Amino acid sequence: MRGQAAAPGPIWILAPLLLLLLLLGRWARAASGADIGPGTEQCTTLVQGKFFGYFSAAAVFPANASRCSWTLRNPDPRRYTLYMKVAKAPAPCSGPGRVRTYQFDSFLESTRTYLGVESFDEVLRLCDPSAPLAFLQASKQFLQMQRQQPPQDGDLGPQGSGDDFSVEYLVVGNRNPSHAACQMLCRWLDACLAGSRSSHPCGIMQTPCACLGGEAGDTASSPLVPRGDVCLRDGVAGGPENCLTSLTQDRGGHGSAGGWKLWSLWGECTRDCGGGLQTRTRTCSPTLGVEGRGCEGVLEEGRLCNRKACGPTGRTSSRSQSLRSTDARRREEFGDELQQFGFPSPQTGDPAAEEWSPWSVCSSTCGEGWQTRTRFCVSSSYSTQCSGPLREQRLCNNSAVCPVHGAWDEWSPWSLCSSTCGRGFRDRTRTCRPPQFGGNPCEGPEKQTKFCNIALCPGRAVDGNWNEWSSWSTCSASCSQGRQQRTRECNGPSYGGAECQGHWVETRDCFLQQCPVDGKWQAWASWGSCSVTCGGGSQRRERVCSGPFFGGAACQGPQDEYRQCGAQRCPEPHEICDEDNFGAVVWKETPAGEVAAVRCPRNATGLILRRCELDEEGIAFWEPPTYIRCVSIDYRNIQMMTREHLAKAQRGLPGEGVSEVIQTLLEISQDGTSYSGDLLSTIDVLRNMTEIFRRAYYSPTPGDVQNFVQIISNLLAEENRDKWEEAQLMGPNAKELFRLVEDFVDVIGFRMKDLRDAYQVTDNLVLSIHKLPASGATDISFPMKGWRATGDWAKVPEDRVTVSKSVFSTGLAEADDSSVFVVGTVLYRNLGSFLALQRNTTVLNSKVISVTVKPPPRSLLTPLEIEFAHMYNGTTNQTCILWDETDGPSSSAPPQLGPWSWRGCRTVPLDALRTRCLCDRLSTFAILAQLSADATMDKVTVPSVTLIVGCGVSSLTLLMLVIIYVSVWRYIRSERSVILINFCLSIISSNALILIGQTQTRNKVVCTLVAAFLHFFFLSSFCWVLTEAWQSYMAVTGRLRSRLVRKRFLCLGWGLPALVVAISVGFTKAKGYSTMNYCWLSLEGGLLYAFVGPAAAVVLVNMVIGILVFNKLVSKDGITDKKLKERAGL
């Protein structure tokens, strides 16, 4: 570096790198084919994403192509600047094409307009070979070179030698540019300034690099080097004008054949204080072709340093040993060659002997110079150190007068720009001090010039102007009608100028000849009807040939074809089902083995299917129709809405309205399903809802979870039994339901925010979800201790499940610390009755329980314990069975069990009413039993003996009382007797309904009627008690009138209960009348208060009336009045 005694520049390091970049630049043309400007051509090139490259005009602008362009895109004009170096052709331009260079901000494809265009033709002057090199600097989005005047059609002349120029480009960051880019840019700047003059100013105005005499300084390692547009020369900071150096020196001294190289840096001082010595050296490059002639002068010189006096603690450092080693190493390196310059060979001897070398040759052959001599210390490591200086200098004087070479003074400051706007230039000069005594004159230019203010004046509006039209394109069609077009571009406008007027594209019709059109077959028509319905026939279809036209070829192939049909045997008359009118639908004649289809009713979509089959005697008969493909309109709408939400969830769109869809499905399912196809539709909706819950599209609320479970419970209602039986014949079986619930438990369990338990209790199932960490897991019991179920049948659960904590261990300690498990347990109340497992003497003797764990464990080290309560009396051979997940029937179970299997479970009988199952896998479990020969299908929940005896005795006693009253009615006829008989009738009716209701729980309609009448008769009993109290009060007060009071008594005893029951049924729509275990009011929903409230009011009024009657009787008049006591019934 300058400012220091630097060695020659590292050209030998950069040369291979620059050569490699140039070779890559030749072969790596722009990867993108997008054109910035006119229509895309094969010779249009867009370069982007590259920071250095090279191309030649012959490659980018071939002679046989028109409207070629080359465009360099600036990644970010705010962060990068484009630089270009053009090596012009030695001859002037020739040929019809001219290449223009300009920069612009953007290009509007719609109007073919360049925005912010600035031309660089004046800067480059490609056709002026007087300046072999040209440089430019661009700061806009695009830098483009384009051949503006393409050759006309048929007039493609050869490309002249003047057009064969080459281009190098460089993209340099405005902040923190790379060292390699700065090295190349500084060389370009040095050459640009060296060749600048008034007629050809330098096109590079500023650089972001610190240029040091044509080389880029290490701005990162030296904090003293200025940043930005600053160059250093001899340690002085300045602008680009300071970066000019001699091209000869920059190329490694090719201008001088031999001589001394530059001095090295001054070495360290030998002493820290009191005066020391610094030395520096230089090397000699012998003159090529001249033998025996070396360099004149000294090889090493010194100077005093650190002359300040040493303090009390001052220390000196001796460098005699290092100097000796350095001098010895230098002598060993050069050998005998040093002797010809006056250096003696090294000497050895006594350590105390110190001998000076001869005085060196005078450093100057003319005028005043220096002579130096040295001595060496050859002491060993055990002797004392040498004392005294190792080097001495003295002045020497030669009689010859030294020639004084011409020297340049410092450059003057750059002049002001010749123009305040538009394109101008500025220059600087320097003065040469003339040589003396035969010295050499000054070398280099006396004046340098460069461009400035390369921009348009903002106060002068520049209108847009059209370029020349391109040549007409080839016809778009080789025959028939075609189109041709040509385009032109608009340069500008700038600074508020007017846009180009007119169209940027022109089109015209072209027609060469009519095109021949071959004949083409149209699509085959549909097959015609079969010639016969059975016994073998044929069908025919045909196609039409369109064309040919204008000499085209005709269609190849046949025009029609045939195929066989109706190959089945014609059925006999007794093998055809006759026309039948069933279910308000007319079924036409259908051969055996085929299925007839008619449209579903108006409130549903789809088809009703009915199959015609043969019986054992070969006579055709109709099977019952199936509605598996009929879906109600309401269920179809819900199904379509759910699919739309699922499609949104798969696209990641936010979800709205999912809760409303679930709520609507819940309301519809509560009214039951009309067809078995509604079951299919509901399961499909719930499956899609599970997929929606699984995604981040929608987060389910507790209400959504409750509604989801309630919908499944509604599907398992008793009124859907016939639909389930039909669906299992042709549609999804229980396997689909089990998978649906298992997926739901998996999704909801892992979507829980906290580790907690969830319970959902409905009329037909109980769902329990536990979420717990593997590290602190404990045994899971179902149901949990202390749980409070609101369902009547689930208040005291008879079935229990125990899941061992060993299930939740993964076997890896690290995984167990972070693992979370979800345990789901589902208890189905009546699903077993839907599975149709009863075959002769085989019956499903328990409820169905499903257990799932997510993620699923590899194996169960401790068996899963499940305790089942038996559902039927008189059963034997209790067997634990589980649902096999395989699609086919289990090999370990008889065919009638289907997918059920007893493999994997061990049966442990507990007592006559309970059985325990120990299973080694997770699945769905139940108990299968055999009915004994004399066993009945009576459930365990039949009325107890106590209930039967109590109700029977009560009813018989009351009935005998009624009979007695009726037999002696003429003697005891009174209002009190009428009230008593009505009270007895209400009690007798209630007892009968209690016994009937215990056996009708499976019949929903009958059970509902029993519950409603029980509600009525129980209220009537209380009301007749109230009537008797009212009659006693009126008799005591003397207001009793037979006819009027009797009507009031009847309204109170029978009318008031009927009104209460009617209102309750109307408001609840009979929901809550009957449960799954008994025919009485449900404890859920508050319907029970429709009985408890009136009964409590009757008791309260009776107490008030009793107090009033008692006060009347114990008064003075009451005690003495015997008739009053008789009227009161005493």
Side-chain angles (χ1 to χ4, degrees), residues 269-333:
C269 192
T270 58
R271 299 175 61 88
D272 296 333
C273 60
L277 181 67
Q278 281 181 299
T279 61
R280 65 176 181 178
T281 61
R282 59 179 177 177
T283 59
C284 176
S285 177
T287 304
L288 299 179
V290 180
E291 298 181 357
R293 182 179 179 183
C295 301
E296 297 181 358
V298 295
L299 181 68
E300 186 176 14
E301 66 179 4
R303 69 179 181 183
L304 296 177
C305 58
N306 293 341
R307 301 181 181 182
K308 61 180 180 293
C310 296
T313 59
R315 294 177 293 118
T316 61
S317 60
S318 175
R319 297 179 63 251
S320 59
Q321 189 69 22
S322 62
L323 286 175
R324 181 195 65 78
S325 301
T326 302
D327 231 349
R329 182 171 61 253
R330 185 180 298 110
R331 291 174 178 273
E332 294 173 1
E333 179 180 357

Side-chain angles (χ1 to χ4, degrees), residues 1022-1023 1025-1026 1029 1091-1106:
F1022 280 91
C1023 288
V1025 173
L1026 176 62
F1091 168 73
V1092 175
V1098 168
V1099 173
L1100 182 61
V1101 173
N1102 277 345
M1103 293 176 61
V1104 174
I1105 294 176

Side-chain angles (χ1 to χ4, degrees), residues 1-10 212-213 215 233-234 245-246 248-253 256 258-266 279-286 295 298-301 330 334:
M1 292 185 184
R2 298 198 176 185
Q4 301 176 358
L212 306 174
E215 295 292 338
R233 174 186 285 273
D234 297 332
T245 59
S246 173
T248 302
Q249 180 181 353
D250 184 51
R251 288 173 173 80
S256 60
W260 290 108
K261 296 296 183 181
L262 296 178
W263 286 101
S264 67
L265 298 178
W266 285 102
T279 61
R280 65 176 181 178
T281 61
R282 59 179 177 177
T283 59
C284 176
S285 177
C295 301
V298 295
L299 181 68
E300 186 176 14
E301 66 179 4
R330 185 180 298 110
F334 291 99

Side-chain angles (χ1 to χ4, degrees), residues 42-71:
Q42 293 183 355
C43 61
T44 297
T45 305
L46 172 63
V47 179
Q48 55 185 359
K50 295 180 62 176
F51 289 85
F52 176 77
Y54 166 85
F55 70 89
S56 63
V60 175
F61 305 111
N64 57 350
S66 61
R67 302 197 59 78
C68 295
S69 65
W70 177 90
T71 307

Side-chain angles (χ1 to χ4, degrees), residues 810-819:
T810 61
L812 301 176
E814 298 179 356
D816 289 343
D817 294 338
S818 59
S819 299

Side-chain angles (χ1 to χ4, degrees), residues 48 249 383 414 467 488 618 662 694 774 789 810 919 926 1050 1103:
Q48 55 185 359
Q249 180 181 353
S383 63
W414 287 98
N467 292 332
R488 59 179 177 175
I662 300 178
R694 193 186 303 274
T810 61
C919 303
L1050 293 175
M1103 293 176 61

Side-chain angles (χ1 to χ4, degrees), residues 508-639:
R508 68 181 182 184
D509 297 334
C510 55
F511 183 87
L512 301 179
Q513 62 180 353
Q514 288 287 359
C515 297
V517 180
D518 297 336
K520 183 178 180 181
W521 288 112
Q522 301 296 327
W524 285 100
S526 59
W527 287 99
S529 59
C530 191
S531 58
V532 294
T533 57
C534 59
S538 63
Q539 285 178 293
R540 176 181 176 271
R541 68 174 180 176
E542 61 181 2
R543 56 181 176 175
V544 178
C545 178
S546 176
F549 305 103
F550 307 111
C555 297
Q556 302 294 324
Q559 186 176 1
D560 52 7
E561 64 178 3
Y562 297 84
R563 71 176 181 181
Q564 294 181 352
C565 61
Q568 67 273 17
R569 181 181 64 86
C570 293
E572 299 296 333
H574 63 276
E575 296 177 342
I576 299 176
C577 292
D578 297 332
E579 183 175 312
D580 185 26
N581 191 345
F582 181 83
V585 176
V586 177
W587 299 92
K588 297 182 179 181
E589 291 185 355
T590 304
E594 295 185 4
V595 177
V598 297
R599 295 183 61 85
C600 295
R602 294 184 178 180
N603 65 340
T605 61
L607 298 174
I608 307 175
L609 306 179
R610 193 178 187 188
R611 177 177 291 275
C612 179
E613 291 291 349
L614 295 176
D615 58 11
E616 296 178 356
E617 299 178 357
I619 305 300
F621 70 96
W622 285 106
E623 289 185 346
T626 175
Y627 295 83
I628 192 68
R629 295 188 180 179
C630 287
V631 181
S632 301
I633 299 297
D634 294 337
Y635 284 95
R636 175 65 68 183
N637 294 337
I638 294 294
Q639 189 176 19

